[in-house]
Amino acid sequence: MRIPFNKMQGAGNDFIVVNNIELNLTGEQLSRLAKQTCERRVSVGADTLIAIETAKSAGDFYARYYNSDGSEAEMCGNGARCVARFAYETGLASEEMVIESIAGDVPAQRLSERIYRVQLNSPTVFKQDLVLQIEGRDLTVDYVELGNPGIPHLVVHYPDLAMTQLETILDLGRELRNHPSFEKGANVNFYDLLRDGHIVERTYERGVEDFTLACGTGTGSTAYVLNKKGLTPDNPVKVEVLGGQLQVNVEGENLFLIGDTNRVVEGTIIDENLRV
């Protein structure tokens, strides 16, 4: 099976983008495709596979997001920015567009050749200062869901995060991601505030089951929480992630994610081990 694709990344969050309007694969087939092609070293490798489909309502197109474990995600902020660029450059949409998703419509805008902005799904759940039992101790966290159905995010303060090796917080991230308090599990966003007002963030992603270089909805959730707590003097909020820098404009309940995109590879998947 020959599958045309683009490999893209935004702040190090990387994606395989396919046009399912042409491929016409079922959801089950897309899940298998994601699980196989996102595996690093043996196939293309990516955090997520994004499938573009015909719009179901008034949007420009519909995007489906499949994690590297084959599970379908509600939405992906950096993925939406990348797929917006793909859609513009391949003639599927103009400089301003609406991307439909499971979690709701996502307006997107081309700001320059590589910089794209998306309006993340608005928070539908916000629980401040939750106390969770982790490893026999109490840990205070914040919880946010974006969109409906909600994309679940925990926001967790971790001092000296920029100097912390990920291996030392891997088990904590895994326990929080699978905490029984959250029916669907949760993405886990560790953060620390720097003296210049910037934020350092590290995200353990549900579906990838590891830390990634960036998470757009996680960055939006973190910026939202810190804005609500009055801890971010700047707007847009500048967030340093492993893959670079993202910015979030927080305007009440509206969150706008801004950052760089990069088209890395355009080609055809001819993986001889692929079984879709």
Side-chain angles (χ1 to χ4, degrees), residues 190-244:
F190 296 99
Y191 77 90
D192 193 20
L193 292 167
L194 302 180
R195 290 182 180 178
D196 61 4
H198 291 198
I199 299 167
V200 174
E201 180 189 58
R202 304 288 184 259
T203 299
Y204 185 97
E205 282 204 53
R206 181 185 62 142
V208 179
E209 306 308 330
D210 203 348
F211 285 96
T212 57
L213 296 184
C215 174
T217 56
T219 297
S221 297
T222 301
Y224 177 78
V225 167
L226 298 186
N227 179 269
K228 287 294 184 184
K229 290 187 167 186
L231 297 175
T232 51
D234 298 330
N235 204 9
V237 180
K238 296 180 175 64
V239 184
E240 308 294 338
V241 297
L242 288 171

Side-chain angles (χ1 to χ4, degrees), residues 52-63 65 75 80-81 83-85 87-88 92-101 103-110 116-119 121:
I52 293 175
E53 298 185 347
T54 302
K56 301 180 186 301
S57 186
D60 289 273
F61 59 91
Y62 191 92
Y65 303 87
M75 206 279 284
R81 291 191 306 101
V83 82
R85 179 176 175 184
Y88 171 74
L92 289 172
S94 62
E95 291 192 345
E96 295 191 10
M97 68 193 80
V98 175
I99 305 168
E100 298 177 1
S101 75
D105 288 349
V106 178
Q109 183 180 13
R110 178 181 186 263
Y116 278 73
R117 176 177 67 185
V118 297
Q119 183 175 353
N121 305 113

